Amino acid sequence: NAGVMQNPRHLVRRRGQEARLRCSPMKGHSHVYWYRQLPEEGLKFMVYLQKENIIDESGMPKERFSAEFPKEGPSILRIQQVVRGDSAAYFCASSPRGTVNTEAFFGQGTRLTVV
Amino acid sequence: AQSVTQLGSHVSVSEGALVLLRCNYSSSVPPYLFWYVQYPNQGLQLLLKYTTGATLVKGINGFEAEFKKSETSFHLTKPSAHMSDAAEYFCAVSEAGGTSYGKLTFGQGTILTVHP
């Protein structure tokens, strides 16, 4: 059973371009969380999705950021018109259940650099 | 709102010495508490978690942590450090009984360095 797969591992974008980050959860997991890790900081919650539904997007910036988790295929975190401040590591975690005591398994992250 | 504070962004120990990484939390409801480890350019790996029951929790790689409600603490310890323990460690909290899903609030992280 493969772990949580994120791609690409590294992504370089120029200011104003779009960034698409992909997350394939572990087999059998229908709950996905996205976190952002800014330099010298801990991880900050962005969004929680369950298949085809956004459950909690309270950590998502109001503009330029969107997330989806379609019935088929990976979860996508999309950042439009990237700016230098978007440079960070973006981690996805998946879980078989959406309960507080269920372990979430993390991917290796996508490191986004905006130049 | 819940929050997590990790005292000391960097901790340095000698190989074989005690490891102590401090974590204090605030939560308006009984918390679930977690410690994760992150190796360079890797994702986070769960070391241990406290949900209910015994307050001393044992995890992988010889680590353990004790939940102290009166001190709102969940410090991570290991009796004897190994070179392979060098990594960044994150304490996290999730609200039990509040939201019904596993949204985590993380501390700022502590980088552990182990000297020969």
Side-chain angles (χ1 to χ4, degrees):
Chain A
N1 188 6
V4 178
M5 304 300 293
Q6 289 189 249
N7 66 81
R9 293 288 308 278
H10 300 273
L11 181 61
V12 179
R13 284 287 177 267
R14 296 185 184 279
R15 281 177 293 171
Q17 291 185 318
E18 177 180 287
R20 279 179 166 252
L21 288 62
R22 294 175 183 77
C23 169
S24 296
M26 291 180 68
K27 186 176 181 180
H29 289 195
S30 59
H31 300 259
V32 166
Y33 307 81
W34 284 93
Y35 291 85
R36 178 166 64 174
Q37 184 180 29
L38 293 168
E40 308 296 324
E41 295 186 18
L43 282 75
K44 296 285 195 289
F45 169 80
M46 298 182 75
V47 62
Y48 163 51
L49 308 104
Q50 192 180 349
K51 276 290 186 181
E52 301 185 87
N53 293 303
I54 296 174
I55 308 300
D56 181 346
E57 56 182 348
S58 59
M60 288 274 274
K62 298 298 181 201
E63 298 177 349
R64 301 187 297 108
F65 285 72
S66 63
E68 63 178 11
F69 188 16
K71 185 176 180 180
E72 301 291 338
S75 176
I76 305 288
L77 180 67
R78 183 183 178 203
I79 311 172
Q80 295 179 289
Q81 299 174 351
V82 296
V83 301
R84 288 239 170 94
D86 297 332
S87 295
Y90 292 83
F91 289 94
C92 162
S94 75
S95 176
R97 293 177 296 278
T99 54
V100 294
N101 61 344
T102 301
E103 180 181 354
F105 293 83
F106 282 79
Q108 293 182 303
T110 293
R111 282 153 181 83
L112 172 66
T113 303
V114 180
V115 297
Chain B
Q2 51 193 355
S3 66
V4 178
T5 300
Q6 292 182 237
L7 298 175
S9 58
H10 290 79
V11 170
S12 181
V13 300
S14 298
E15 192 174 19
L18 171 71
V19 175
L20 171 60
L21 305 183
R22 299 178 188 275
C23 173
N24 289 87
Y25 70 90
S26 68
S27 177
S28 58
V29 298
Y32 287 173
L33 295 158
F34 305 80
W35 274 100
Y36 283 86
V37 60
Q38 183 182 30
Y39 297 101
N41 297 316
Q42 298 293 316
L44 277 72
Q45 180 182 7
L46 182 66
L47 275 178
L48 48 80
K49 66 179 180 182
Y50 167 79
T51 53
T52 58
T55 57
L56 181 63
V57 181
K58 295 187 184 299
I60 62 172
N61 301 339
F63 284 93
E64 61 182 35
E66 187 172 10
F67 170 56
K68 292 187 176 180
K69 184 178 179 180
S70 62
E71 299 177 8
T72 61
S73 69
F74 191 56
H75 302 330
L76 181 71
T77 60
K78 181 174 180 177
S80 177
H82 191 272
M83 297 296 289
S84 61
D85 294 327
E88 188 162 17
Y89 293 79
F90 292 95
C91 181
V93 62
S94 182
E95 289 189 356
T99 54
S100 61
Y101 55 90
K103 172 180 165 182
L104 295 170
T105 298
F106 283 87
Q108 308 93 313
T110 298
I111 296 174
L112 175 66
T113 303
V114 182
H115 295 289

